Amino acid sequence: MFLTKLKIFDVLIEDNNLCKDGMHSEGKVNLGLSSYRRSVSEAKRKAILQAARDHFLKNGYSRAAMADIARDADVSTATLYKHFSSKDDLFAAIVEDTYLRLGVALPSDIDGLTAREFFMMLADAYAAQQIEGQMNKLFRMVIAEVPTAPHLAKTVYQDGIVRAYAYLQKVADALVARGDLKPHHTTDGVRHLGGMLKEYIVWPALFSQEFSRTDDMKKNLELCVDTYLAIYGTEVSTRRPEKDTSGN
């Protein structure tokens, strides 16, 4: 989440041109050129990530070739390696990018949200990440590659799943402090919720390439959240907290 905030802050700075009244025009020109180069570089990076994701999902990690990825991203092989030093680094970036999207979809501040509202937002964003974001397909690829590339599974687990749970634990700790959740071992609690959500979002998709959202998915996700809150929630879990207007 800190990375998300930093990127947003960078965009705001660029929009304001990072300049005050009275800055020399030369400085403005140099800044504009620098901003343009960054935008071009970021566009190329996004194109590489998308092309790599397509190749990994279609051909598997072992058979995906960096030269083919560069061609489909419409960049040179040298440019690809300038952004990612190896295929391992490229795969790790795809995992990070996917989970970063989950972070972007969630609020950085839970003030004004009930516990149930936050966890329903989480469930919806998680479903979008795994289904529309194709993370379930990436999971299938990683599992298939375990005999020849076991480090891929470690990358997904450590850089994706574990980091996501660490973020959720911090949110749960904040909700305990606020009185929305009962004091409990939040490391286990968020995994209990995650396990229930996976039954409807992840596990069916791992065994069927045609898996998609079902008509009753939203209802089932609500049941998962409500079951979690029935165990760990307090009577204020669904009550919207009053905003602090004291200025403290």
Side-chain angles (χ1 to χ4, degrees), residues 198-218:
K198 283 181 174 66
E199 288 295 329
Y200 297 100
I201 296 173
V202 177
W203 293 119
L206 293 185
F207 300 98
S208 173
Q209 293 187 356
E210 288 74 36
F211 177 78
S212 61
R213 286 180 186 264
T214 57
D215 293 337
D216 61 350
M217 178 174 286
K218 183 174 178 62

Side-chain angles (χ1 to χ4, degrees), residues 36-107:
Y36 170 75
R37 287 172 175 169
R38 283 198 301 271
S39 66
V40 170
S41 179
E42 183 61 25
K44 289 181 178 180
R45 186 179 188 277
K46 289 180 179 179
I48 292 169
L49 287 175
Q50 185 57 55
R53 181 190 293 270
D54 293 342
H55 274 270
F56 289 153
L57 293 178
K58 181 180 179 180
N59 304 316
Y61 178 85
S62 299
R63 289 181 292 174
M66 295 289 269
D68 292 338
I69 292 172
R71 180 198 64 220
D72 288 356
D74 197 25
V75 300
S76 67
T77 304
T79 296
L80 189 156
Y81 279 105
K82 180 180 179 180
H83 285 270
F84 306 101
S85 61
S86 67
K87 191 159 67 169
D88 284 356
D89 287 344
L90 180 53
F91 178 80
I94 290 174
V95 172
E96 181 180 11
D97 179 70
T98 301
Y99 278 91
L100 186 59
R101 293 179 192 178
L102 175 64
V104 170
L106 295 175

Side-chain angles (χ1 to χ4, degrees), residues 159-226:
D159 295 349
I161 297 172
V162 171
R163 289 175 65 181
Y165 274 132
Y167 161 71
L168 292 180
Q169 183 184 348
K170 289 182 179 180
V171 174
D173 288 339
L175 290 171
V176 169
R178 200 173 74 179
D180 293 56
L181 299 180
K182 303 170 186 174
H184 65 285
H185 200 268
T186 52
T187 301
D188 292 337
V190 295
R191 282 168 171 77
H192 296 158
L193 174 59
M196 288 189 287
L197 294 176
K198 283 181 174 66
E199 288 295 329
Y200 297 100
I201 296 173
V202 177
W203 293 119
L206 293 185
F207 300 98
S208 173
Q209 293 187 356
E210 288 74 36
F211 177 78
S212 61
R213 286 180 186 264
T214 57
D215 293 337
D216 61 350
M217 178 174 286
K218 183 174 178 62
K219 180 189 71 175
N220 288 325
L221 298 185
E222 287 179 344
L223 287 172
C224 291
V225 171
D226 289 339

